[in-house]
Amino acid sequence: MSREIRITPSILNADFDHLADEIAKISQVSDLLHLDVMDNVFVPNFTFDFASATSIIKMSDLSVDAHLMVADVDEIAPAYAEAGCASVTIHAEATQNITSTLRAIRKVGARAGLALKPATQIENYSEFIDDVDMFLIMTVEPGFGGQKFMTDMMSKVSRTRAIIGSRPIWLQVDGGISLETIEIAVDAGADTFVAGSAVFKAQDPAAMVTSLRELANSVAD
Ligand code: DX5
Ligand code: ZN
């Protein structure tokens, strides 16, 4: 059976003044909507507070994959699950209590994700695997869209794939994913792809999501 590929567009580079229209452009062809929450503390950029994020979660026809780049993640992550996110991802570098926060997310019925910045090694976090539904390997420094894909993260993706083994854990990559970079990420073992500027700067965002998926499927084992 071939690996299931998921495309999760990020609205970070979408037109925030017309978000409903932007989401509608890709909702028929995407798996989840990737929502980047930044607090200007954990990363040097701010996107949404919880109230604004909640209104996007409620308004979106697509289920939401929240990527929390915030310092107070242990307090706020369960609230994102309660607000209706299908998946809530916390950063290993931000959490004070990985196990209890991952379990609190799952307890509300959402998938629990664990994200690693480029300098963070997967081997230090493999012990938490039984509480994880998705690993997110950052392929840029978190904080901004439109950055260059870090090819040197591919060995971490391969090592994470080996650690996952046959468990039904998703392996997401985020940052610089495009038609030029998705194949190498598939080859390394990723199955879930965030794409921000590649999708929302394309003339036809839905066609770009479909092209990314087709290319990924064509090289997936
Ligand atoms: C970066 C965010 C990404 C970003 C991806 O901190 O986590 O999700 O939006 O944007 P692109 O695809 O433009 O790198
Ligand atoms: Zn993200």
Side-chain angles (χ1 to χ4, degrees):
M1 198 180 78
S2 73
R3 198 184 325 164
E4 188 182 342
I5 298 294
R6 296 169 206 91
I7 311 290
T8 59
S10 160
I11 52 169
L12 188 58
N13 273 327
D15 178 355
F16 277 21
D17 293 334
H18 302 98
L19 261 190
D21 294 342
E22 294 281 82
I23 296 169
K25 285 180 190 167
I26 49 95
S27 60
Q28 298 301 312
V29 292
S30 303
D31 293 281
L32 292 166
L33 183 74
H34 184 83
L35 185 68
D36 288 304
V37 182
M38 305 186 188
D39 64 352
N40 209 14
V41 177
F42 180 68
V43 288
N45 194 6
F46 182 85
T47 53
F48 319 103
D49 60 16
F50 181 64
S52 316
T54 303
S55 67
I56 298 169
I57 295 160
K58 302 268 179 263
M59 162 250 276
S60 173
D61 340 328
L62 264 176
S63 298
V64 170
D65 163 38
H67 175 194
L68 304 183
M69 289 163 274
V70 298
D72 64 343
V73 71
D74 296 305
E75 286 153 52
I76 202 79
Y80 275 89
E82 276 156 23
C85 291
S87 175
V88 179
T89 297
I90 63 171
H91 264 270
E93 306 84 1
T95 173
Q96 304 299 313
N97 194 334
I98 298 191
T99 302
S100 73
T101 301
L102 291 170
R103 288 183 185 172
I105 294 167
R106 274 184 167 176
K107 200 170 167 206
V108 192
R111 299 177 62 89
L114 185 63
L116 305 187
K117 290 168 70 172
T120 305
Q121 297 308 319
I122 184 64
E123 288 75 12
N124 296 339
Y125 294 94
S126 52
E127 66 188 275
F128 300 101
I129 197 158
D130 290 336
D131 293 305
V132 169
D133 295 303
M134 178 171 84
F135 283 110
L136 164 51
I137 304 301
M138 292 302 301
T139 43
V140 296
E141 285 297 341
F144 300 93
Q147 302 183 75
K148 191 171 181 296
F149 177 78
M150 297 169 72
T151 308
D152 54 347
M153 289 299 115
M154 293 306 97
S155 103
K156 197 201 290 189
V157 173
S158 305
R159 286 174 359 244
T160 306
R161 174 53 69 195
I163 288 167
I164 290 172
S166 59
R167 296 173 182 86
I169 295 175
W170 298 0
L171 178 48
Q172 187 176 51
V173 284
D174 181 5
I177 297 295
S178 70
L179 291 173
E180 282 70 49
T181 58
I182 197 166
E183 285 184 69
I184 181 174
V186 174
D187 281 342
D191 57 17
T192 305
F193 302 87
V194 179
S197 33
V199 168
F200 283 103
K201 292 203 185 306
Q203 254 194 341
D204 184 341
M208 179 54 72
V209 171
T210 300
S211 299
L212 287 166
R213 186 190 303 285
E214 284 174 0
L215 184 54
N217 271 321
S218 74
V219 288
D221 46 50

